[in-house]
Amino acid sequence: MDNPQHVELLREQVLTLSQVNRRLSTMVADLERCRKTHEVLTGVAASGAGEPGIAAEMYRLTGLPVAVEDRFGHLRAWAGPNEPTPYPRLPVHKWAALVTQAQRSNRPIRDRNRLISLARSRTEILGVLALIDPEHRAGEHEVFALEHGSVVLAMELAHLQGLAETELRLRHGLMEDLLNGTDEADACSRAAALGHDLQGPHQVVVMQWQSPVADETVARAAVRTSRRFLDTGVLLTRQTGRVVLLMPWSGWRTPSPRWGDLHRALSKELRSSKGAIAIGRRCDSPSQIPRSYHEALRALSVRRSANNPNGVTTFDELGVYRLFVGNEGNHELRRFVDEWLGQLLNYDAEHRSELVTTLWQYFECGGNYDAAAKALLIHRSTLRYRLQRIRELGGYDLGAVDSRLNLHVATRAWRILCG
């Protein structure tokens, strides 16, 4: 008869072996799933399917909806059901805090109803890969897929960024030549190589946003935003403090250019409306592009010197200011300003007063005392005193039409020249 203790020992050994076998089977299955995940995601990276392909494979691997976002939280690709429209975005400060938290973690982190992992290079954040998981279903396999997927996404975004930067350098060189004047045949050939048809009518658009919005950020947003309004692409270059675009005249999806809509869309994209868009007149050949460019710069000068420096100004809207703005070497213009404002400018310089600024703001507000006083941040009685002092020093009749016209033009010209 078998020893009961011996039988019990054998039974325990059998149970232990069964447990080990089950664990080994689980480990083998997990390794196989990891191998498959690695194989699938590596394959999609090599296939050229891009961000939509990565999102689609992640959805098939995890069974959870997937979002690919850029570094600012904008949706770039979605896979799975229930895509939100519009796509929700965090406020800037909350987004920055989330990215900082994710950078400090070596693994994906949970952000409300989703798991996120950063797609990053050695030096910067390129994008975000997110699993939409409101029921907290994601386990180790899903986390592994998310980690590996973010690495593949980083490779894809770095590749796209490299291509974009190369194309941007080529476009920048072409644009600088076009703005300064260049051989038309050569310019058309270079533009065609970049997929842009230069032989139709165009116009130059200059954009300038206030700090802290960087020129590079404005440039990228301008390209993305223009695609919503145009059936064709644009040429673009960044300059210090501004971005210059060359836009096809007839490429708009609307019957006529909707510059106000473009400004609003760009303001929304940049999360700041503190910017100006200025547009030169139509140019029918590349040789006319420098003229349109200088017209856009003139329109920008007027917009920036106006009471409201933000918004849209076309060269055609400048009226009398087309005759002189933007030409800093115009001695006749400076003589005109000195003739009408010389005494006030000298008085301001000697007494550190603001009589010329007061006069300019008064005219910009249409002669409205309350509006001018509010804009100058002074009391109405102070404004009346300053205007009386202006009458005494210059001998002006502010009620006379000719005097008001010349003084208004002179103050606007002074603003532009000093700009």
Side-chain angles (χ1 to χ4, degrees), residues 71-119:
R71 70 183 73 185
F72 307 109
H74 301 281
L75 182 68
R76 293 178 66 96
W78 177 277
N82 304 320
E83 178 181 350
T85 304
Y87 189 74
R89 291 174 57 202
L90 289 174
V92 174
H93 66 284
K94 290 187 177 180
W95 175 254
L98 178 63
V99 170
T100 300
Q101 180 187 354
Q103 284 180 293
R104 292 172 179 167
S105 175
N106 292 324
R107 303 206 71 194
I109 66 170
R110 180 162 286 277
D111 170 39
R112 298 166 297 167
N113 67 336
R114 59 186 194 156
L115 282 172
I116 69 167
S117 182
L118 298 181

Side-chain angles (χ1 to χ4, degrees), residues 35-45 57-58 60-61:
R35 185 198 65 78
K36 181 181 178 182
T37 297
H38 174 81
E39 182 180 281
V40 167
L41 291 175
T42 302
V44 75
E57 290 300 339
M58 282 292 299
R60 279 192 280 270
L61 287 167

